[in-house]
Amino acid sequence: MTEKEYFQLLMEETGCKRSEAELALSLSNNNFEKAIKAIGFILKFITTFKIKVLFPQKNIYGLIHIAINMKMSEIVRFSITFSRNPAIYEITTNMDWFSYEKAIFSARLNSGAMEIYTKEIEENLKVYIQKVLKEIINISSEEIFSIIKNFFYPSEVSIEIKNEELSLTQFKKLPDYNLNQNSISSPYYNLGFIKLDVKILEDNNGKFVKKIAEGDTVLSIITDERDLTHYIAHLIGGIEDGNSCPLPAIVKKVTYKNNDFKIYLNYAPSIVGLAKIKGNIKIKVLESKHQFWWKKILPW
C-alpha cells in the first residue's frame, strides 16, 4: 500500500483530516493499527451537552442529552424526558454523560413521567436542532441554549447546560463505575437506578420459591410494559427477534410477607428486576450459590 493510500484509508476509517492522519502515523511509527488508536485519543470532536429545562408556569421539568460530532455538525446521541415530578430537576449535570443519559432513561420509567408529551417533543426537537446546527459556525453551550429557548418560544423556560468534550475513544468506551452492586434499596430519586417488572420461569422439577437464596441464578422474562422498557431489555439481551426471551439473572435480595415473596434480580449495574410470586411455587434455578462442592461433581 502506498503512503497516499495509507492516508486515505486512515481518513476514511476515522473521519480525520490529512494533517491529523499524518500526525497519528508519525506518532505511531507508521503503524496503521496504532495510528487508528492514536486518532481516537488525540481528536476531541465529540461534545455532549447535558441540559435541564424548567417551565415554571406549567410545572414541567425536563432533562435533555445531546452528543454532537463537532466536525460533521451531526447529532450522534439524543435523549429526552419531561415529567411533572420536580425531583428530576435535582439531577446534576456534573455527572458524566453516560450516567446522565441513564438518568434520563430511568426518569422516563418513573412516576410523573409525561410519556405522550415527551414523544411529541422528542423527534421535532431533534430535527429542529439538527437543522440549526448545519447553519451555525461555532457550536457552543450558548448556541444550544439559544436553540432550545427558540424552540419552546413563547413559553417561559429556564435552561441549565453543561458540556463535556470527548475524544472518539472516550465516547465509545463507557465510563468506569465504582458501583455497590449488592445494594438494591436505593432512594426513590436515585434516577441512575432502574427497576423492571419481571417474571421468573416456573419449573415443576425446580426449587420452591421459599427456598431461594441470594446468589442463586434463575431464568426470567422481562414483562415490564412501560415506555423505553423494550429498549432497555434489548440492551441487556432480553429481546430476540423482537420478542421477549428468557434471561438468566442472579438473585440479589429476597423479601416476603406471609406467603408472598418479592425477588430482586440483578441484570446489570443499576438495572434490577422485581418478581412477585407465591412461596409454594417451584421455579427454574440454573445454579445455586450455596450448592455443596461434592454435588457439583457428584450430582446424583
Side-chain angles (χ1 to χ4, degrees):
M1 185 178 293
T2 65
E3 184 180 83
K4 182 179 179 181
E5 290 173 330
Y6 264 121
F7 286 134
Q8 187 63 34
L9 184 57
L10 186 58
M11 291 163 64
E12 290 176 356
E13 287 291 324
T14 64
C16 68
K17 298 178 182 178
R18 182 179 176 85
S19 59
E20 295 165 340
E22 291 174 350
L23 174 61
L25 282 168
S26 65
L27 291 174
S28 58
N29 295 321
N30 291 322
N31 183 300
F32 185 74
E33 292 184 2
K34 290 182 179 180
I36 292 179
K37 293 180 181 179
I39 284 290
F41 283 107
I42 294 170
L43 304 181
K44 287 195 173 184
F45 56 81
I46 302 293
T47 300
T48 67
F49 295 90
K50 294 163 286 186
I51 307 162
K52 297 198 296 185
V53 297
L54 165 64
F55 298 88
Q57 296 178 347
K58 301 179 181 179
N59 293 323
I60 295 177
Y61 308 87
L63 303 177
I64 304 172
H65 174 253
I66 311 169
I68 299 173
N69 182 322
M70 305 295 275
K71 291 171 68 70
M72 309 297 292
S73 296
E74 290 182 350
I75 296 175
V76 292
R77 292 182 82 96
F78 183 86
S79 53
I80 184 173
T81 187
F82 290 96
S83 177
R84 294 286 186 185
N85 191 338
I88 75 166
Y89 205 73
E90 298 175 8
I91 298 298
T92 177
T93 55
N94 290 325
M95 65 177 68
D96 63 81
W97 70 268
F98 184 72
S99 296
Y100 192 77
E101 185 175 77
K102 189 169 64 172
I104 290 177
F105 290 150
S106 182
R108 290 182 69 159
L109 295 171
N110 283 336
S111 61
M114 302 169 67
E115 294 184 16
I116 296 176
Y117 182 77
T118 298
K119 288 179 180 179
E120 289 175 349
I121 296 295
E122 189 170 23
E123 186 59 29
N124 291 333
L125 178 57
K126 183 179 180 180
V127 170
Y128 177 78
I129 293 174
Q130 183 62 80
K131 180 181 178 181
V132 178
L133 289 179
K134 294 294 185 178
E135 300 173 352
I136 60 179
I137 298 175
N138 181 34
I139 303 172
S140 62
S141 293
E142 291 74 19
E143 289 288 355
I144 298 297
F145 181 96
S146 178
I147 291 171
I148 293 176
K149 191 165 187 177
N150 290 337
F151 177 83
F152 289 110
Y153 181 83
S155 296
E156 179 185 349
V157 58
S158 173
I159 303 171
E160 177 185 328
I161 298 180
K162 186 157 189 177
N163 68 297
E164 180 181 357
E165 293 183 354
L166 303 167
S167 68
L168 187 61
T169 298
Q170 290 172 323
F171 183 66
K172 288 186 175 180
K173 182 181 178 182
L174 300 184
D176 294 326
Y177 295 102
N178 182 21
L179 296 175
N180 179 9
Q181 296 186 22
N182 293 322
S183 175
I184 61 173
S185 57
S186 303
Y188 180 78
Y189 296 126
N190 177 8
L191 295 180
F193 178 80
I194 299 174
K195 184 170 68 178
L196 305 174
D197 295 330
V198 303
K199 176 182 179 181
I200 299 177
L201 298 189
E202 298 181 15
D203 183 1
N204 291 332
N205 298 317
K207 191 175 183 180
F208 281 111
V209 171
K210 58 187 177 183
K211 293 185 177 181
I212 290 296
E214 295 179 10
D216 288 350
T217 301
V218 299
L219 205 57
S220 64
I221 290 182
I222 296 174
T223 58
D224 206 306
E225 297 180 351
R226 290 173 295 173
D227 186 31
L228 279 184
T229 301
H230 187 275
Y231 170 75
I232 295 172
H234 179 74
L235 286 180
I236 61 177
I239 299 291
E240 188 174 301
D241 297 327
N243 299 313
S244 298
C245 62
L247 193 64
I250 298 175
V251 174
K252 298 298 294 182
K253 186 177 181 181
V254 179
T255 63
Y256 63 91
K257 184 177 182 181
N258 298 326
N259 196 40
D260 297 317
F261 282 72
K262 291 183 179 180
I263 300 179
Y264 295 86
L265 307 177
N266 180 65
Y267 290 109
S270 299
I271 300 179
V272 168
L274 171 60
K276 299 178 181 180
I277 192 169
K278 297 291 184 180
N280 57 352
I281 300 294
K282 288 185 177 182
I283 60 177
K284 184 74 171 179
V285 177
L286 301 179
E287 183 178 355
S288 177
K289 179 179 181 181
H290 303 291
Q291 187 177 20
F292 293 112
W293 67 268
W294 51 268
K295 283 190 176 182
K296 293 182 178 179
I297 59 175
L298 301 172
W300 59 87

